[in-house]
Amino acid sequence: MPASTTTAPVALTAKALLLDMDGTIVNSDAVVERCWRDWAVSHGLDPQEALKVVHGRQGYATMAVLLPERPMEINLAENAEMLARETADTDGVVPVAGAPAFMTAIAGLPHALVTSADAALATARMTAAALPMPEVRITAESVGASKPDPEGFLKGAAALGVAPADCIVFEDSAAGIAAGRAAGMRVIGVGPRAAAHGPTVHVPDLTHLDVTADADGSVRITLLPQPQPQDAPAQ
């Protein structure tokens, strides 16, 4: 008997794509975990528990979750230090599988980067991963509230002149998926973190989708069939 079966392709159409960076097109987990483990230990926190909430948020917002009684001005000051450290550390920063081909495929299509990184960190990581920087980008400096607030995605849609309902978000984290859904957008969850947080659809990485432009100018994202394990045979 065959070892697996496949599901039929799923296709979504949109007028614009909004891309998170870390964990979605750039794999920066090694740096994030190094920096935030050190920060957690220095503040007497369990690093494993800290890493459960760092992804997708701006640093000050993560600190506010982990140290809720601490004044925000301290979080903002330490976030500036964290951003400087993360920007200088690109060891292990690589593209997510399929990201180079994906970015090439969308080069002529409406899209924007919507990231919790600031401009310097976004530039450092996109450069380290050898990925092209989108012309339209919403970074930490562009918003007043961190994901899971939808502000960043709404600003990305506005910058592209597209209604939120006509956008597809690509995200990997709980905070980012919540932000995309709160913005009234469909969300393609990318990678192992995304599946548990209710994206519209999920892919293991960017090799599992195909991008085409329809005749009316819309963008078609086709999720390629994925092997589905069969039930174990009865004993």
Side-chain angles (χ1 to χ4, degrees):
M1 295 179 64
S4 64
T5 60
T6 58
T7 58
V10 173
L12 302 175
T13 59
K15 292 183 178 177
L17 309 179
L18 302 178
L19 317 176
D20 174 54
M21 183 180 70
D22 293 302
T24 301
I25 57 175
V26 172
N27 183 346
S28 56
D29 282 2
V31 179
V32 171
E33 292 188 7
R34 274 197 299 275
C35 293
W36 282 96
R37 281 180 185 278
D38 289 349
W39 182 88
V41 169
S42 72
H43 290 79
L45 301 173
D46 181 345
Q48 290 303 116
E49 292 302 310
L51 289 175
K52 291 178 181 179
V53 298
V54 301
H55 297 288
R57 292 180 172 86
Q58 292 189 43
Y60 75 85
T62 293
M63 294 170 187
V65 171
L66 295 171
L67 296 172
E69 303 302 320
R70 196 168 74 158
M72 184 57 72
E73 57 265 27
I74 298 178
N75 296 338
L76 293 170
E78 289 193 4
N79 182 49
E81 297 172 0
M82 180 67 78
L83 284 169
R85 178 179 174 184
E86 288 187 285
T87 301
D89 184 356
T90 57
D91 186 23
V93 174
V94 296
V96 166
F102 174 75
M103 296 301 289
T104 296
I106 69 171
L109 304 174
H111 68 282
L113 188 73
V114 182
T115 175
S116 295
D118 67 3
L121 180 56
T123 298
R125 288 186 174 165
M126 292 291 283
T127 300
L131 296 175
M133 178 67 81
E135 291 185 12
V136 178
R137 44 195 176 270
I138 306 299
T139 60
E141 299 94 334
S142 309
V143 298
S146 172
K147 300 172 186 175
D149 192 282
E151 181 185 2
F153 288 123
L154 293 172
K155 284 194 169 183
L160 293 169
V162 176
D166 291 327
C167 295
I168 291 177
V169 165
F170 288 75
E171 264 288 358
D172 74 300
S173 69
I177 291 168
R181 296 184 65 179
M185 301 172 182
R186 292 156 294 159
V187 181
I188 295 180
V190 180
R193 280 189 292 270
H197 301 295
T200 308
V201 294
H202 174 259
V203 291
D205 57 49
L206 297 172
T207 66
H208 291 265
L209 51 79
D210 182 64
V211 182
T212 55
D214 285 349
D216 63 357
S218 61
V219 184
R220 180 175 296 271
I221 306 293
T222 303
L223 279 63
L224 303 178
Q226 299 178 34
Q228 300 295 315
Q230 290 187 329
D231 294 336
Q235 299 294 321

